[in-house]
Amino acid sequence: MPKGNGYLNVGIGGKYLKMKQRGQNIFEHWDRLVEKLADLGLVQHRRFQPKGCSYFLRGKRETVQIDKAFVIGDAAGLATIDMGEGIGAAVRSGILAAKAIVTGQLYSTQTINRYSFKNIFLQFHK
């Protein structure tokens, strides 16, 4: 995502338990990405300050509303299973919650996609 003054945010992710089973961590993956970018001549003479956060990928969440309290976005664990993309799901869940508030209809996250690229993901995980 472009930032001011020529800066760019770059994200990298991984599934914690799988990395842990392999004796890896996310910082090793970050280092490999930076090395690859440097080899390609895309980053030189730069000091990076990687920061991170954990969040839940899309899973089965039974309760997303209790009375007038709605769980949306990352709090609802709506990031896609394949890409970990959460912005779209956060916006969609916010809209669904707003509609439920205005109309009194049931709030559900069932219509929010579980995959960013469902057809591609399913080809490799049959």
Side-chain angles (χ1 to χ4, degrees):
M1 171 176 282
K3 298 289 184 180
N5 300 321
Y7 285 90
L8 176 74
N9 277 353
V10 175
I12 187 168
K15 294 185 177 179
Y16 173 76
L17 291 177
K18 287 187 179 189
M19 285 189 296
K20 185 177 178 182
Q21 288 172 347
R22 294 180 193 136
Q24 300 173 330
N25 65 56
I26 197 68
F27 294 106
E28 293 172 37
H29 290 272
W30 172 257
D31 290 340
R32 282 198 303 243
L33 173 65
V34 171
E35 286 175 24
K36 181 69 172 178
L37 294 174
D39 290 346
L40 293 170
L42 297 173
V43 295
Q44 296 176 6
H45 312 295
R46 298 280 184 193
R47 229 181 71 223
F48 297 101
Q49 298 173 336
K51 297 176 186 173
C53 61
S54 297
Y55 59 93
F56 294 102
L57 298 179
R58 184 66 184 259
K60 188 172 185 171
R61 176 164 303 268
E62 300 295 327
T63 305
V64 291
Q65 178 183 357
I66 300 175
D67 297 324
K68 294 182 181 182
F70 298 81
V71 183
I72 64 172
D74 285 350
L78 296 176
T80 59
I81 294 168
D82 53 350
M83 299 295 293
E85 189 274 323
I87 297 296
V91 170
R92 285 190 292 283
S93 64
I95 291 169
L96 290 170
K99 284 183 181 179
I101 292 166
V102 170
T103 66
Q105 292 177 339
L106 178 66
Y107 168 63
S108 171
T109 58
Q110 296 300 317
T111 60
I112 297 174
N113 291 335
R114 296 172 54 84
Y115 300 92
S116 295
F117 301 104
K118 183 177 181 177
N119 293 336
I120 294 171
F121 182 80
L122 294 177
Q123 282 180 341
F124 293 103
H125 291 88
K126 287 183 178 181

